[in-house]
Amino acid sequence: MNLYIINWRKNIYATVLLALFFFVSFIEIYGEYIGDKNLIWISKPLIIPFLTAYYLKRSIKINKPFLISLFFSWIANVLFIQNTIDFIIYGVIFFILYRIIVIYTIVSKVKMPSIIPLIIGCIPFAFIYISVTLFTYTTVGESVYLFLSQGVFTIFLGGFSVGNYILHSSKQNALLLLSTLFMTFTQFLFLLKFFFDAVNLLQSIAMVLFILGQLLLTKYIFHTEKHKQKIDLIKNLKIS
């Protein structure tokens, strides 16, 4: 009975934290849409902390590298609020660190697909990145290298997620694939802002994709933890 109450409370707390995550996310998206910096400053710095707290409550076994990646993602998003070239550069650096740690976290827990599915998965991401770069270079100039610096890691993660989904179309791999796609489109929207006047609309859409992508990645981490728990249980049963 005590264990039941503890789990019930844990689930309630996790649900409340997830609700707060969606609440501050909605405020941030609305703030981006109307161009209200005050709303953005109030809400955006709270998005990742609420997601982190939700993860800590729901996690079976805390993944420390994933927590570090969330921290770097939080720093990057706070820096992006300033929307000046210097802060954007610093934000991109932290976002690249976030990407590297996410890749490390995933690769360390999930078997790499064979080389052919990996290459097949990388092709569409590489094609899109190269096409967008050629299309936008004359307009954004050297700023496009910020886009490409993230692209290297996104292409690999895209190839990894597509390759794994080709080999095994499970819910777990679908979550990773969707998360990678959403995160990729946020970077494309960053460049589209140079070509369209509806900057606020594009920024709000980018935040919707980022929030969904980060939440789906967190759900994916939950699934890897459950999978690992099952494997450990089977190993213990064999040993005993």
Side-chain angles (χ1 to χ4, degrees):
M1 184 65 179
N2 288 335
L3 181 61
Y4 172 81
I5 293 174
I6 290 172
N7 289 333
W8 180 78
R9 288 178 177 175
K10 185 177 180 180
N11 289 333
I12 290 294
Y13 292 149
T15 302
V16 170
L17 289 168
L18 185 62
L20 289 171
F21 165 77
F22 280 118
F23 177 70
V24 295
S25 296
F26 175 80
I27 294 175
E28 203 284 333
I29 292 166
Y30 180 69
E32 296 284 1
Y33 181 72
I34 65 175
D36 190 327
K37 278 286 185 181
N38 290 327
L39 279 181
I40 295 171
W41 271 111
I42 290 170
S43 56
K44 195 168 189 176
L46 295 175
I47 293 174
I48 296 299
F50 276 130
L51 182 62
T52 303
Y54 168 70
Y55 168 74
L56 291 172
K57 276 295 178 185
R58 289 296 302 270
S59 177
I60 297 172
K61 185 178 181 180
I62 303 300
N63 188 316
K64 292 180 181 178
F66 180 64
L67 286 179
I68 295 172
S69 75
L70 288 175
F71 176 68
F72 284 138
S73 177
W74 176 75
I75 294 176
N77 276 281
V78 171
L79 291 171
F80 287 148
I81 296 176
Q82 292 289 353
N83 204 27
T84 59
I85 188 61
D86 289 338
F87 281 95
I88 288 175
I89 291 173
Y90 293 138
V92 168
I93 292 171
F94 278 101
F95 197 78
I96 289 173
L97 292 172
Y98 156 79
R99 275 290 189 204
I100 292 172
I101 297 173
V102 165
I103 290 172
Y104 167 78
T105 302
I106 293 170
V107 171
S108 65
K109 290 192 172 295
V110 181
K111 184 180 179 181
M112 281 277 291
S114 58
I115 189 65
I116 293 177
L118 182 63
I119 292 174
I120 292 173
C122 286
I123 289 173
F125 287 88
F127 175 77
I128 293 172
Y129 266 90
I130 292 170
S131 300
V132 172
T133 301
L134 293 174
F135 179 70
T136 59
Y137 182 75
T138 55
T139 302
V140 300
E142 293 186 357
S143 296
V144 79
Y145 293 117
L146 294 173
F147 176 75
L148 284 176
S149 62
Q150 299 182 62
V152 173
F153 301 100
T154 303
I155 289 169
F156 174 81
L157 187 57
F160 183 93
S161 58
V162 171
N164 268 334
Y165 190 75
I166 290 173
L167 293 173
H168 184 43
S169 56
S170 63
K171 180 180 179 180
Q172 174 179 315
N173 290 334
L175 288 171
L176 179 61
L177 178 57
L178 286 173
S179 173
T180 305
L181 288 173
F182 287 157
M183 290 292 199
T184 301
F185 286 131
T186 61
Q187 297 175 41
F188 296 149
L189 289 172
F190 170 77
L191 290 182
L192 285 177
K193 291 190 293 185
F194 291 96
F195 298 92
F196 296 94
D197 295 328
V199 175
N200 291 349
L201 176 61
L202 290 173
Q203 186 61 32
S204 60
I205 294 173
M207 280 307 301
V208 170
L209 294 176
F210 170 79
I211 289 163
L212 290 175
Q214 191 65 75
L215 179 61
L216 289 176
L217 179 61
T218 304
K219 296 286 188 181
Y220 170 80
I221 295 296
F222 288 149
H223 277 272
T224 61
E225 291 173 355
K226 290 178 182 177
H227 181 68
K228 187 175 184 303
Q229 187 185 45
K230 289 179 182 178
I231 292 175
D232 291 341
L233 181 61
I234 292 171
K235 287 181 178 178
N236 291 332
L237 288 173
K238 286 182 177 179
I239 293 171
S240 60

